[in-house]
Amino acid sequence: MWHFISEQVSQQIGKDFICDDIREVNSGDSHQAYKISDGKQRFFVKTNSKSKLANFEAEAEGLNHLQQTELFRIPKVICVGTVGDHCFLVLEHITMTSGNAESWYSFGEKLARLHQSQTQEMYGWQEDNYIGLTPQPNKWDKKWSRFFAEQRIGFMLQLLAEKGNRLANIDNVVESVQSLLNGHTPKASMLHGDLWQGNTGFHKQQPVMFDPAFYFGDREAELAMTELFNKFPQAFYDGYESVWPIEPEYAYRKTVYQLYHLLNHALLFGGHYVQSAQATIKNLDA
């Protein structure tokens, strides 16, 4: 496998690369990950079973679109493909560090600029993709309340029901979410889609993003995710507000946006995420 991947990398970078140092790294629960090197050049490689090729192709697509904005340091996609029973995604290797207050402020500024300047007329994306290992539908829709209620919350509840976890009456929850968001017509902003601290870092104090679940939607959905697991530092929000202030009504919508990610974690990991999602659903009509 590594000989084939080395050949693919060589073709893409236009010079010989033969990996003689392969080190597995911890990258969460979705894929196996490695840092490979020939002593001069390093790359980051994800592998999985061949059936997950579409995941890597969607990830590469999202990374490419985020990179084109030139606002963040985004790992460059080198190549994606299959070999034997495996699929792989090779990315530029970026050495990352934790940020300070100044770099987090810059992160917030850049994200606000991304949300403000990179927009579409409708919500969704030209193709479906994934959030982690979970399918994420992105059919274009002119109405945000319908898009989020059906393609985010309703779809995730259906996946859970198919696994035997029927948390609530799906139609009723979809109706409640649509009612809560009714009349809210946000700008359809380019979103990373899965923005938590585990998918961020800094390189020479420049903000880095990776592992996207790319689509166009309400910027508040992105901000809600940053508050859900290991909330971003306050400097990040100060930087964001300096460019594009957050609406006061965000506080009322935040919980329903976070529900999407709670449902995904309930689907992937079960446990207390199921109870958290159920509690949030019960409060929708409160």
Side-chain angles (χ1 to χ4, degrees), residues 45-225:
V45 183
K46 290 183 175 184
T47 67
N48 209 323
S49 63
K50 194 174 182 178
S51 63
K52 302 299 182 184
L53 176 62
N55 294 70
F56 287 157
E57 290 176 333
E59 180 177 344
E61 185 79 7
L63 288 169
N64 285 332
H65 282 276
L66 288 168
Q67 188 177 52
Q68 288 168 16
T69 70
E70 299 182 346
L71 285 166
F72 289 86
R73 180 69 186 270
I74 306 293
K76 181 182 178 182
V77 176
I78 307 300
C79 55
V80 59
T82 60
V83 52
D85 294 329
H86 295 85
C87 63
F88 60 86
L89 171 64
V90 182
L91 303 173
E92 169 194 13
H93 181 273
I94 299 175
T95 301
M96 287 184 288
T97 60
S98 55
N100 56 28
E102 184 179 350
S103 56
W104 275 109
Y105 189 95
S106 174
F107 197 131
E109 287 181 313
K110 289 178 182 293
L111 187 68
R113 292 194 188 104
L114 177 78
H115 290 163
Q116 201 170 45
S117 63
Q118 304 295 318
T119 62
Q120 278 279 358
E121 293 300 314
M122 294 192 290
Y123 308 102
W125 181 229
Q126 62 193 24
E127 58 190 27
D128 296 339
N129 51 24
Y130 299 84
I131 179 159
L133 290 175
T134 306
Q136 179 172 266
N138 292 315
K139 185 179 179 181
W140 291 114
D141 199 319
K142 293 182 178 179
K143 191 171 184 180
W144 171 247
S145 60
R146 181 172 57 205
F147 174 88
F148 193 81
E150 295 179 359
Q151 296 194 58
R152 292 296 178 260
I153 303 303
F155 181 78
M156 200 68 78
L157 285 170
Q158 183 60 43
L159 292 180
L160 279 157
E162 290 169 4
K163 286 186 67 175
N165 273 323
R166 190 170 181 83
L167 304 189
N169 181 290
I170 297 174
D171 290 340
N172 290 348
V173 176
V174 167
E175 186 178 339
S176 294
V177 171
Q178 193 158 353
S179 177
L180 187 149
L181 296 176
N182 191 37
H184 181 49
T185 56
K187 187 176 289 188
S189 299
M190 179 183 288
L191 305 182
H192 174 283
D194 193 13
L195 194 62
W196 65 292
Q197 285 207 43
N199 289 340
T200 66
F202 296 88
H203 177 75
K204 298 179 180 178
Q205 299 310 314
Q206 182 182 6
V208 181
M209 294 195 301
F210 48 93
D211 285 355
F214 186 92
Y215 72 104
F216 285 83
D218 184 3
R219 64 177 179 138
E220 292 180 354
E222 189 110 285
L223 294 170
M225 179 55 166

Side-chain angles (χ1 to χ4, degrees), residues 262 269-277:
L262 287 174
F269 309 116
H272 72 277
Y273 294 114
V274 175
Q275 286 75 48
S276 295

Side-chain angles (χ1 to χ4, degrees), residues 224-286:
M225 179 55 166
T226 70
E227 295 191 55
L228 183 57
F229 305 119
N230 193 13
K231 184 178 177 179
F232 284 18
Q234 184 58 42
F236 164 83
Y237 302 100
D238 293 341
Y240 193 100
E241 291 259 9
S242 73
V243 175
W244 191 4
I246 300 166
E247 297 175 13
E249 294 80 11
Y250 163 64
Y252 299 102
R253 295 185 284 263
K254 178 170 67 175
T255 301
V256 76
Y257 289 150
Q258 291 177 337
L259 175 60
Y260 177 55
H261 300 287
L262 287 174
L263 290 171
N264 187 37
H265 277 63
L267 181 70
L268 296 173
F269 309 116
H272 72 277
Y273 294 114
V274 175
Q275 286 75 48
S276 295
Q278 284 178 317
T280 301
I281 290 170
K282 286 180 181 178
N283 288 331
L284 285 179
D285 294 318

